[in-house]
Amino acid sequence: MGNVSIRWRMLVETSLLVILIASASLLFGVIGTILAGILALIAVVFLSLHLTNQFAEVTDGVIRATSIEPTHRLDPAGPAELARIARAVNRLMDRVGEETAEDFAERIRLASILDSMQEGVVVVDDQGIIESANPASIEMLLTAGDVEPGMQLSTLTNHPDVINVINRSIEGDRTVSAEIELFDNSRILRAVSTPFPRPETGAVRALIILTDLTDVRRLDTTRREFVSNASHELRTPVAGIRASAETLQRGAAEDPEGREQFLKMIRQDVDRMDKLITEMLELSRLESGESPLELELVSPSKLVDDSISQFMAVATETDLKLESTVPHDLPEVSVDPEKIGHVFTNLISNAVKWTPPGGVITLNSWVDERSIWFTVSDTGQGIEPEHLPHIFERFFKTDPARTQPGTGLGLAIVRHLVDAHGGAISASSTIGEGSEFAFAIPLGRS
Ligand code: ADP
């Protein structure tokens, strides 16, 4: 009986132990599972936080590279997919960078071409808003104040003809051109307006090219005036020759005295034509720079004395005193003696022509720190103040009827000869007292 109870107890104890072990292992299993679950959850949270950070870094990198700092590149670190994205973004930014740099360089190149153009270039949209206006256009239209893209066309110009050209070209969708006179700066412009659409919207805008025609027109006028003056100057001696020849033909040739007189008149007219042609050719050579200086070191007093000697006979004949007050000790100067001699010849011959008998013609010279000065003064009839600013112009004569002898080219040639030496000439005069022509040639020419 005792054995049975012992066995029974053992059985119960063993069963209890088994149950205990089983319950314990169940408990540990549950706890382990919970712990593993918690650990997995922590890992997932940690991982997703890490990934979120890396995504945020990539996003920040993309934002920085695309909008703040185009040279910024992403770090291709982290998970393979993120690294691939970073590398792809970097490649894209490299390409965009290259294209932007090319685009920028192209824009700079275009802007510098527009800035250095002599023609004015303006782009205006159909609402009259300026898209672009280069410096030449601003200068040509004499615009005061700044002109920036986005401003109204009226900030650039209010000239009705310019606005009209632009409006007609936009409305008619065709190129319109017009010659425009700007009265405030006496300029003549050609404005050509061509419509062209904006590629993105198709809205019409106009490209206006402005060309300054002022110099061309002025040259044209000068050329026309020159031809008209030259023809007029030639017509007088030609008419004289014709009249003398006809008179001779009608019988004057039979009379020795008459023949002599008319032949002399023909000779004078021929000389006049010859002088005119020679002076026109000389002026043309000087103006086109075909007459280079042949510089020599010469004494100013010798230059003046040589010129005076050519007029001594005529001065005595017309009872004029022709003298030099040039000091003999002036230093030698570097000039073209033939050309300066020609200046003196023209000035002295004018003085002789316009000074009544008994008058005095004086030549003087002096040196200051920069120039050698020469003056030719006379005690003649003088030049009206309103004529003084014009006497160096081609064909200018003080009498409108042009009955005076002379071509009106002498002083124009003088001015060119002095100009060629880098000098300047001016005239002063008092009616009834006389005139003085003064010119200065810079020193230090080799
Ligand atoms: P021209 O060959 O006709 O003399 P210039 O060009 O030498 O032409 O002179 C232009 C004009 O200037 C002359 O027609 C004359 O009216 C005036 N003029 C030039 N020199 C003098 C002077 N010394 N005194 C008065 N008038 C002068």
Side-chain angles (χ1 to χ4, degrees):
M1 193 54 200
N3 278 345
V4 170
S5 76
I6 286 170
R7 248 184 257 139
W8 180 242
R9 228 174 58 208
M10 276 173 68
L11 185 70
V12 169
E13 279 173 3
T14 309
S15 305
L16 274 173
L17 194 68
V18 167
I19 289 168
L20 199 70
I21 289 169
S23 326
S25 56
L26 192 72
L27 188 69
F28 278 124
V30 169
I31 290 171
T33 311
I34 290 170
L35 272 177
I38 290 170
L39 276 176
L41 200 67
I42 289 171
V44 166
V45 168
F46 180 77
L47 250 171
S48 65
L49 270 178
H50 184 64
L51 268 176
T52 309
N53 276 345
Q54 280 182 330
F55 267 118
E57 262 175 43
V58 170
T59 313
D60 282 350
V62 172
I63 291 171
R64 217 171 125 192
T66 52
S67 48
I68 305 167
E69 196 186 337
T71 51
H72 176 74
R73 292 294 174 266
L74 278 67
D75 181 11
E81 279 312 307
L82 276 185
R84 274 184 65 193
I85 292 175
R87 276 194 294 273
V89 170
N90 285 347
R91 273 198 303 277
L92 189 70
M93 286 314 295
D94 283 347
R95 204 170 315 149
V96 168
E98 280 163 24
E99 277 170 19
T100 311
E102 274 171 29
D103 215 43
F104 189 64
E106 180 64 17
R107 250 189 283 161
I108 297 263
R109 205 168 62 83
L110 273 175
S112 65
I113 289 174
L114 280 178
D115 283 0
S116 56
M117 273 177 79
Q118 283 191 337
E119 280 79 14
V121 181
V122 183
V123 178
V124 183
D125 72 10
D126 54 357
Q127 303 302 307
I129 305 287
I130 299 169
E131 288 188 17
S132 151
N134 73 342
S137 68
I138 295 169
E139 198 260 327
M140 275 184 200
L141 295 166
L142 208 78
T143 313
D146 285 344
V147 177
E148 300 284 345
M151 287 181 170
Q152 277 290 337
L153 179 61
S154 55
T155 54
L156 183 64
T157 183
N158 269 324
H159 198 295
D161 294 349
V162 180
I163 294 166
N164 190 21
V165 166
I166 299 171
N167 288 345
R168 271 166 52 217
S169 85
I170 290 182
E171 282 158 18
D173 197 19
R174 64 192 168 90
T175 298
V176 176
S177 77
E179 220 169 275
I180 290 158
E181 239 176 286
L182 304 181
F183 296 106
D184 31 6
N185 60 354
S186 53
R187 272 190 173 166
I188 302 168
L189 304 181
R190 167 168 298 284
V192 181
S193 177
T194 309
F196 72 112
R198 180 193 285 283
E200 317 90 61
T201 60
V204 179
R205 52 192 172 159
L207 168 73
I208 305 106
I209 309 274
L210 301 166
T211 314
D212 194 341
L213 299 180
T214 319
D215 286 346
V216 180
R217 289 286 171 272
R218 204 172 285 153
L219 256 172
D220 230 36
T221 313
T222 314
R223 190 184 50 79
R224 248 181 286 132
E225 277 173 8
F226 186 87
V227 171
S228 139
N229 285 328
S231 322
H232 183 82
E233 287 302 319
L234 280 171
R235 193 171 287 145
T236 316
V238 166
I241 292 169
R242 182 183 292 127
S244 300
E246 282 171 2
T247 316
L248 283 170
Q249 265 180 337
R250 279 201 298 268
E254 312 305 324
D255 164 30
E257 219 175 278
R259 188 176 60 222
E260 254 332 284
Q261 189 197 339
F262 286 108
L263 285 176
K264 194 176 161 207
M265 282 165 73
I266 290 176
R267 177 68 211 224
Q268 277 171 351
D269 283 332
V270 168
D271 284 350
R272 197 169 161 181
M273 284 168 71
D274 188 43
K275 185 164 189 278
L276 181 65
I277 291 164
T278 310
E279 288 190 342
M280 284 199 301
L281 285 175
E282 185 177 1
L283 199 57
S284 143
R285 263 199 305 274
L286 282 168
E287 284 182 345
S288 58
E290 277 172 37
S291 192
L293 292 186
E294 289 177 22
L295 297 175
E296 277 176 39
L297 275 176
V298 280
S299 140
S301 63
K302 185 173 180 318
L303 260 180
V304 167
D305 289 344
D306 286 352
S307 303
I308 283 185
S309 65
Q310 298 172 40
F311 288 90
M312 270 311 181
V314 64
T316 317
E317 221 174 84
T318 47
D319 190 20
L320 290 170
K321 192 168 167 211
L322 183 53
E323 59 181 17
S324 160
T325 54
V326 181
H328 284 274
D329 57 355
L330 280 184
E332 288 191 323
V333 286
S334 172
V335 294
D336 182 326
E338 201 181 310
K339 291 198 168 67
I340 294 299
H342 199 13
V343 170
F344 286 130
T345 316
N346 279 349
L347 293 178
I348 299 170
S349 75
N350 275 349
V352 167
K353 196 158 46 176
W354 302 105
T355 307
V360 183
I361 298 164
T362 313
L363 278 81
N364 196 10
S365 177
W366 69 94
V367 174
D368 67 15
E369 62 285 0
R370 279 190 287 170
S371 315
I372 170 108
W373 287 83
F374 293 99
T375 54
V376 178
S377 36
D378 62 58
T379 55
Q381 64 177 59
I383 303 165
E384 301 280 348
E386 69 265 30
H387 291 144
L388 268 179
H390 303 289
I391 52 170
F392 294 101
E393 289 170 12
R394 293 186 296 188
F395 293 111
F396 181 79
K397 286 182 169 186
T398 47
D399 80 325
R402 307 184 74 84
T403 50
Q404 310 160 344
T407 59
L409 292 178
L411 287 180
I413 292 175
V414 162
R415 198 198 63 201
H416 273 95
L417 291 168
V418 174
D419 275 0
H421 282 80
I425 185 161
S426 63
S428 55
S429 187
T430 308
I431 289 294
E433 287 185 18
S435 311
E436 181 174 271
F437 290 81
F439 65 97
I441 306 280
L443 295 171
R445 305 172 69 92
S446 50

